[in-house]
């Protein structure tokens, strides 16, 4: 995991989506499908599956470890010129994410953040005034430059 490092906000994102979800299990597939659709529509179909899987893992973690009755979980997706970023925010800032070592091959829990780390270019967390945001980012290839001579 990388420590929280704010990204420079020199230019606004090309695309942005923000939606709050109730802290229930049915919100996970809703968020996953929405992120996959948006990322593909925004011209990054090759990242749509990875982004959907990552948001599913982060939403599940927020439900299991970060939810508070009556408080929503926020999913924020931005596409910039060089970065795709998926954020999941929950109200429990005292429960910070940390990958667990995989010690038992039969253990069905504890691998979500390892998966996030394997799929995304980087991931981390940021504390908020209330709660925390866990994010994953993908670096996008530089656009091709066409030189006309």
């Amino acid at each position: 995991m990388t420590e929280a490092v704010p990204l420079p906000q020199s230019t606004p994102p090309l695309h942005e989506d923000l939606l709050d979800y109730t802290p229930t299990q049915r919100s996970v597939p809703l968020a996953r499908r929405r992120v996959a659709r948006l990322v593909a529509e925004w011209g990054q179909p090759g990242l749509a599956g990875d982004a959907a899987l990552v948001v599913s893992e982060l939403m599940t973690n927020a439900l299991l470890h970060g939810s508070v009755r009556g408080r929503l979980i926020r999913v924020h997706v931005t596409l910039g010129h060089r970065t795709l970023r998926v954020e999941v925010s929950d109200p429990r800032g005292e429960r910070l994410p940390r990958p667990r070592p995989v010690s038992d091959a039969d253990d069905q829990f504890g691998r979500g953040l390892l998966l996030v780390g394997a799929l995304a270019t980087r991931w981390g967390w940021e504390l908020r005034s209330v709660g925390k945001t866990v994010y994953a980012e993908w670096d996008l290839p530089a656009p091709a430059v066409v030189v006309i001579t």
Side-chain angles (χ1 to χ4, degrees):
M1 180 187 77
T2 58
E3 290 301 318
V5 178
L7 292 177
Q9 297 296 325
S10 57
T11 61
L14 298 171
H15 298 283
E16 182 173 25
D17 184 69
L18 180 73
L19 192 62
D20 293 333
Y21 292 88
T22 56
T24 61
Q25 289 180 338
R26 70 183 182 152
S27 294
V28 176
L30 293 173
R32 181 178 54 239
R33 285 191 296 267
R34 182 179 181 92
V35 167
R37 180 180 54 80
L38 289 172
V39 171
E41 286 175 2
W42 294 346
Q44 298 298 324
L47 290 177
D50 288 354
L53 183 54
V54 165
V55 82
S56 181
E57 292 296 332
L58 297 182
M59 281 285 292
T60 300
N61 283 349
L63 284 173
L64 293 174
H65 309 294
S67 63
V68 173
R69 187 177 185 157
R71 299 294 305 270
L72 299 174
I73 296 171
R74 174 166 286 176
V75 176
H76 186 197
V77 185
T78 56
L79 178 70
H81 292 278
R82 300 296 307 271
T83 305
L84 171 66
R85 181 175 170 115
V86 174
E87 302 176 353
V88 175
S89 300
D90 67 59
R92 301 276 310 265
E94 75 278 7
R95 305 231 21 214
L96 299 176
R98 59 181 172 80
R100 289 192 270 170
V102 179
S103 56
D104 184 0
D106 294 328
D107 190 9
Q108 66 180 8
F109 297 104
R111 293 184 177 85
L113 292 176
L114 295 173
L115 184 60
V116 170
L119 293 174
T121 305
R122 70 193 140 272
W123 75 275
W125 53 267
E126 301 166 344
L127 288 175
R128 300 173 13 173
S129 57
V130 174
K132 68 181 172 299
T133 297
V134 182
Y135 66 87
E137 296 177 334
W138 290 263
D139 290 336
L140 304 176
V145 177
V146 177
V147 179
I148 300 174
T149 56

